[in-house]
Amino acid sequence: METTYAILREFAGSWALIAMMLFYISACLYAVRPSARKANEDAAHIPFRNDIDAPVMAQEPEAKQDG
């Protein structure tokens, strides 16, 4: 008679590994599907959304011209 640990270890080494691999592959395919392009581009631009509101950097003063 096998112990519970041995049964679970065998299950994790075979069917659970296959299930996790299929889940990972399907999650990757779901993320790069063509219909998700707009959502992915929107998410990629999140760090740059507030750049318009950022203060303008001080520019160097122009050299004064003599009269």
Side-chain angles (χ1 to χ4, degrees), residues 60-66:
E60 294 183 24
E62 296 180 14
K64 293 184 180 181
Q65 297 176 357
D66 292 332

Side-chain angles (χ1 to χ4, degrees), residues 4-44:
T4 305
Y5 174 77
I7 293 170
L8 290 175
R9 184 184 62 180
E10 184 177 337
F11 176 76
S14 57
W15 294 108
L17 178 63
I18 292 171
M20 287 188 291
M21 185 175 61
L22 289 175
F23 176 78
Y24 176 76
I25 291 171
S26 62
C28 289
L29 292 175
Y30 179 78
V32 297
R33 71 190 192 283
S35 61
R37 168 171 257 144
K38 184 178 183 318
N40 290 340
E41 287 178 358
D42 185 43

